[in-house]
Amino acid sequence: MKITVFGSGYVGLVTGACLAEVGNQVLCMDVDQRKIDQLKQGIIPIYEPGLDEMVKDNVAAGRLSFTTDVKEAVDFGLFQFIAVGTPPDEDGSADLKYVLAVAKSIAEHMSDYKIVVDKSTVPVGTADKVKQAIKDVLAERSQELEFDVVSNPEFLKEGSALDDFMKPDRIIIGTDNPRTAELLKALYAPFNRSRERVITMDIRSAELTKYAANAMLATKISFMNELANLAERLGADIENVRHGIGSDSRIGYSFIYPGCGYGGSCFPKDVKALERTARDYGYQAELLSAVENVNDRQKHRLFEKVSTHYPNGVKGKTFALWGLAFKPNTDDMREAPSRVLLEALIDAGATVRAYDPEAMEEAHRIYGDKAGLVYCAKQADTLSDVDALIIVTEWKQFRSPDFDDLSRLLKDKVIFDGRNMYEPRLVKQFGLQYYAIGR
């Protein structure tokens, strides 16, 4: 099949590459000329394990191509995927200007039947707005052309997006047209061979499903962080509690790891957007407000622990910081807890020696030559002439450090662990003080 994908960011590029991988012809369109030029040269603008090889292989095979020409993109595909950003507006709602701009562009250039697929995470009712935008432009052109608008939300986890797309848990198709549902089923047939993964429903239910999934996962994280803060006050160990409740099949172990807060491009934005949608429809979603409030507070917990340990302040202190990305296996620092901590430490007069396996370039882009921030090329470089170590992202390479070395190199012999990576009794055997979350 011929497929056009508008947007060559995280969702668009993964979607385009995976659809090409199973034999389709895919054209990715983006207004950013520099990004398109880089993609044509095989330079991938984001870090996602395996994505660079998949893109290069499918470009070489002639199944995946890139353009900045809107008319070429609209003419190309029966399926017109919209995978552009929906950044949070000032009031927390999702900004649909890019989505609606694409819809209008499709309408301006289409000459035959198109299936417009909302892949971006969008509020309930967006498909209606996309449909109306297309109708309005077609009316201005005095054209009567058939089209359908479909909600097909993505469920991609950064760091395992290719597996999530190629071996999905579910494929949600929201449409009011049975014929269109069959066409989408045919498109996704290669990803649906071992068992039935396609779930069809009405459009508004599909739009809500995406927000509901992210809000549920965010709720589990905030709930565990709330319990972790209580465990510290009660003298309990939240890791024991986690094992105890995770063994209940009704709860499970996924997303019940306490820490220093969630970040990324999805959870913070989507929880706020869903809460805003509820308000727009006259409903006060108190739980959603609490989930986000708990998470905002949790991002300050590490700095609070550092401040408690240093009652005279951290001015003049130097900290090794392991982890900048909001989670492992990505270079994404959007809404990352590391940013809250790093900025608080530097504002308080401390120096931060930071390292992340993938996010160093992104940190440079965000902070430039920020005073008080030292970019370290290697993990070991962070430990040069430092007072304490702080861990923010649970990269695998941080799991088994040489505690003898840490005890020798850390002047104040203290570790602040925002991801509960170590066993407290083990760390203390090396003469190190250890602060974790809920322990």
Side-chain angles (χ1 to χ4, degrees), residues 105-164:
S105 294
I106 294 171
E108 287 167 359
H109 297 284
M110 64 187 286
S111 57
D112 54 8
Y113 174 66
K114 299 293 181 184
I115 299 173
V116 180
V117 183
D118 284 339
K119 199 69 175 173
S120 301
T121 300
V122 292
V124 176
T126 297
D128 294 334
K129 294 179 180 179
V130 168
K131 188 179 297 184
Q132 190 60 51
I134 295 173
K135 283 182 177 179
D136 290 345
V137 174
L138 289 177
E140 291 172 8
R141 293 177 57 200
S142 299
Q143 293 282 330
E144 290 187 13
L145 296 172
E146 189 182 0
F147 69 93
D148 281 300
V149 177
V150 176
S151 176
N152 176 221
E154 53 86 12
F155 297 95
L156 306 176
K157 299 186 295 293
E158 291 190 41
S160 60
L162 297 189
D163 278 346
D164 288 344

Side-chain angles (χ1 to χ4, degrees), residues 163-184:
D163 278 346
D164 288 344
F165 199 104
M166 301 299 289
K167 302 173 183 176
D169 293 324
R170 73 288 208 199
I171 301 166
I172 302 294
I173 297 173
T175 178
D176 299 323
N177 187 337
R179 180 190 65 179
T180 309
E182 292 306 312
L183 287 169
L184 265 294

Side-chain angles (χ1 to χ4, degrees), residues 221 225 239 257-263 298-299 302 322 325-328 336-338 391-395 416-422 434-437 439:
I221 295 170
N225 284 333
E239 290 299 316
Y257 289 85
C260 50
Y262 59 73
Q298 199 68 15
K299 289 182 179 180
L302 278 177
W322 288 359
F326 84 93
K327 63 179 284 189
S338 64
I391 303 165
V392 183
T393 314
E394 63 274 33
W395 285 93
F416 301 91
D417 182 359
R419 297 299 175 186
N420 290 358
M421 296 191 73
Y422 312 129
Y434 183 63
Y435 295 88
I437 304 295
R439 311 196 77 179

Side-chain angles (χ1 to χ4, degrees), residues 47-346:
Y47 174 74
E48 175 64 34
L51 181 59
D52 52 350
E53 294 91 344
M54 184 179 285
V55 169
K56 290 174 185 175
D57 288 348
N58 282 283
V59 168
R63 293 188 296 267
L64 179 62
S65 54
F66 304 94
T67 187
T68 56
D69 188 325
V70 177
K71 186 178 186 307
E72 179 189 4
V74 175
D75 289 343
F76 185 83
L78 164 64
F79 297 95
Q80 304 274 308
F81 278 79
I82 301 179
V84 294
T86 53
D89 219 334
E90 291 182 5
D91 62 359
S93 62
D95 189 342
L96 296 177
K97 64 183 176 185
Y98 301 115
V99 170
L100 295 177
V102 172
K104 292 174 183 176
S105 294
I106 294 171
E108 287 167 359
H109 297 284
M110 64 187 286
S111 57
D112 54 8
Y113 174 66
K114 299 293 181 184
I115 299 173
V116 180
V117 183
D118 284 339
K119 199 69 175 173
S120 301
T121 300
V122 292
V124 176
T126 297
D128 294 334
K129 294 179 180 179
V130 168
K131 188 179 297 184
Q132 190 60 51
I134 295 173
K135 283 182 177 179
D136 290 345
V137 174
L138 289 177
E140 291 172 8
R141 293 177 57 200
S142 299
Q143 293 282 330
E144 290 187 13
L145 296 172
E146 189 182 0
F147 69 93
D148 281 300
V149 177
V150 176
S151 176
N152 176 221
E154 53 86 12
F155 297 95
L156 306 176
K157 299 186 295 293
E158 291 190 41
S160 60
L162 297 189
D163 278 346
D164 288 344
F165 199 104
M166 301 299 289
K167 302 173 183 176
D169 293 324
R170 73 288 208 199
I171 301 166
I172 302 294
I173 297 173
T175 178
D176 299 323
N177 187 337
R179 180 190 65 179
T180 309
E182 292 306 312
L183 287 169
L184 265 294
K185 285 181 180 180
L187 176 66
Y188 280 112
F191 311 97
N192 196 39
R193 291 175 63 83
S194 62
R195 63 178 175 83
E196 182 57 61
R197 292 181 170 89
V198 173
I199 304 172
T200 58
M201 59 183 70
D202 63 278
I203 294 175
R204 289 197 163 214
S205 294
E207 291 171 331
L208 182 56
T209 296
K210 169 61 178 179
Y211 276 114
N214 281 353
M216 174 61 79
L217 297 175
T219 299
K220 293 181 74 172
I221 295 170
S222 281
F223 178 74
M224 286 304 293
N225 284 333
E226 196 87 296
L227 283 184
N229 295 333
L230 182 58
E232 289 182 10
R233 289 160 173 77
L234 297 175
D237 188 334
I238 193 62
E239 290 299 316
N240 290 334
V241 176
R242 180 177 66 81
H243 284 291
I245 66 173
S247 60
D248 187 327
S249 60
R250 298 169 299 174
I251 298 172
Y253 290 102
S254 296
F255 287 84
I256 61 168
Y257 289 85
C260 50
Y262 59 73
S265 62
C266 294
F267 288 4
K269 173 176 69 71
D270 293 352
V271 171
K272 289 175 185 173
L274 185 56
E275 192 270 336
R276 176 66 192 190
T277 296
R279 271 190 284 151
D280 289 344
Y281 282 82
Y283 182 73
Q284 189 67 36
E286 296 178 26
L287 182 57
L288 295 178
S289 299
V291 167
E292 189 59 22
N293 290 338
V294 168
N295 190 60
D296 285 342
R297 184 178 65 195
Q298 199 68 15
K299 289 182 179 180
H300 295 273
R301 285 295 291 140
L302 278 177
F303 184 71
E304 290 169 3
K305 289 177 180 290
V306 171
S307 299
T308 299
H309 183 80
Y310 294 104
N312 296 323
V314 297
K315 187 175 183 179
K317 294 288 182 180
T318 300
F319 295 90
L321 179 62
W322 288 359
L324 293 168
F326 84 93
K327 63 179 284 189
N329 296 322
T330 182
D331 61 352
D332 194 344
M333 288 180 62
R334 285 174 288 184
E335 302 279 351
S338 64
R339 297 176 64 168
V340 174
L341 173 65
L342 182 155
E343 291 163 18
L345 288 170
I346 292 175

